[in-house]
Amino acid sequence: DAGITQSPRYKITETGRQVTLMCHQTWSHSYMFWYRQDLGHGLRLIYYSAAADITDKGEVPDGYVVSRSKTENFPLTLESATRSQTSVYFCASSRDYASTDTQYFGPGTRLTVL
Amino acid sequence: GNSVTQMEGPVTLSEEAFLTINCTYTATGYPSLFWYVQYPGEGLQLLLKATKADDKGSNKGFEATYRKETTSFHLEKGSVQVSDSAVYFCALSPQGAQKLVFGQGTRLTINP
């Protein structure tokens, strides 16, 4: 049972380049989420998705694009990377949208924008 | 709006010491409350949760009680181990929504 995986685990890129971070889950969970983790801020929600082809903005969506053509995949794209997007990115999934449900997190992608 | 405030870290304790990490929240209605733990180099994993007032979540010797009157969800453990060294995040999910709001995290180091 692979669970939830992210790739790449580490990425270094340059300002202005496009970068795509991948997230894949094997549980057939309906909901998927992208967070960024920065010192002093905990984790902040970037985008989330309720199902294939249904996405919505979170707290910090500017500069990011998501898509969800298949239930199991939820890629996050930085269309033109900036230094302020240097961060650790976590993907998560949950079975349900109830506030009581648990989110399961991937191992994270550490992105450095030079 | 919704927010979570955790005690400032880092926290350093000796093995077998008593642990408390304070967490308070601001939210309307009845949020669900969570503690997640992040071990070095890994993603977050759920430690415990409580979904209504006065509920106590517990796991691996850790406990936290949902106190609506004080809007708190403090994490406690009676005797910590070196293996408990990690970053601990308090979080809430607003009533009717699965959108986690996290505190800033508390780094815990346990010395043998």
Side-chain angles (χ1 to χ4, degrees):
Chain A
D1 185 355
I4 184 164
T5 57
Q6 294 183 235
S7 62
R9 293 293 312 276
Y10 302 90
K11 176 74 176 177
I12 299 175
T13 191
E14 295 178 338
T15 301
R17 291 191 179 262
Q18 182 179 77
V19 176
T20 295
L21 310 183
M22 303 301 294
C23 177
H24 176 79
Q25 52 104 354
T26 60
W27 294 308
S28 298
H29 283 172
S30 296
Y31 292 88
M32 296 187 75
F33 309 82
W34 274 106
Y35 295 88
R36 60 178 289 172
Q37 182 181 23
D38 304 292
L39 276 176
H41 290 281
L43 278 75
R44 292 178 291 175
L45 182 64
I46 304 171
Y47 270 95
Y48 65 101
S49 169
D53 298 323
I54 301 175
T55 62
D56 206 351
K57 296 177 180 179
E59 181 186 353
V60 288
D62 293 344
Y64 303 95
V65 174
V66 293
S67 62
R68 195 165 174 207
S69 57
K70 294 183 178 181
T71 300
E72 61 268 28
N73 296 324
F74 191 38
L76 175 74
T77 297
L78 289 66
E79 293 191 304
S80 179
T82 65
R83 290 201 178 107
S84 65
Q85 292 177 309
T86 293
S87 186
V88 181
Y89 292 85
F90 288 99
C91 179
S93 71
S94 68
R95 184 182 54 203
D96 199 357
Y97 198 59
S99 62
T100 56
D101 204 18
T102 297
Q103 288 189 22
Y104 297 88
F105 285 78
T109 294
R110 183 176 293 276
L111 176 68
T112 301
V113 182
L114 301 177
Chain B
N2 300 307
S3 66
V4 175
T5 302
Q6 284 181 239
M7 68 183 287
E8 294 282 336
V11 174
T12 303
L13 296 172
S14 298
E15 206 165 21
E16 299 183 4
F18 184 86
L19 169 70
T20 299
I21 301 178
N22 290 335
C23 172
T24 58
Y25 69 90
T26 301
T28 54
Y30 297 88
S32 294
L33 302 175
F34 303 81
W35 277 100
Y36 279 85
V37 59
Q38 183 180 28
Y39 297 104
E42 298 183 10
L44 280 71
Q45 54 185 273
L46 179 69
L47 181 59
L48 53 85
K49 68 179 181 182
T51 59
K52 59 182 187 292
D54 299 325
D55 266 2
K56 178 185 284 188
S58 62
N59 185 27
K60 299 181 181 180
F62 291 89
E63 293 183 340
T65 301
Y66 188 144
R67 302 284 189 202
K68 189 156 180 67
E69 63 276 13
T70 55
T71 62
S72 65
F73 193 54
H74 304 321
L75 182 68
E76 296 182 336
K77 186 175 185 182
S79 177
V80 293
Q81 306 301 312
V82 172
S83 57
D84 294 327
S85 298
V87 181
Y88 292 80
F89 292 93
C90 185
L92 70 82
S93 190
Q95 184 177 358
Q98 177 56 259
K99 289 185 187 180
L100 287 173
V101 175
F102 285 88
Q104 69 268 39
T106 301
R107 181 175 298 277
L108 173 67
T109 301
I110 307 300
N111 293 322

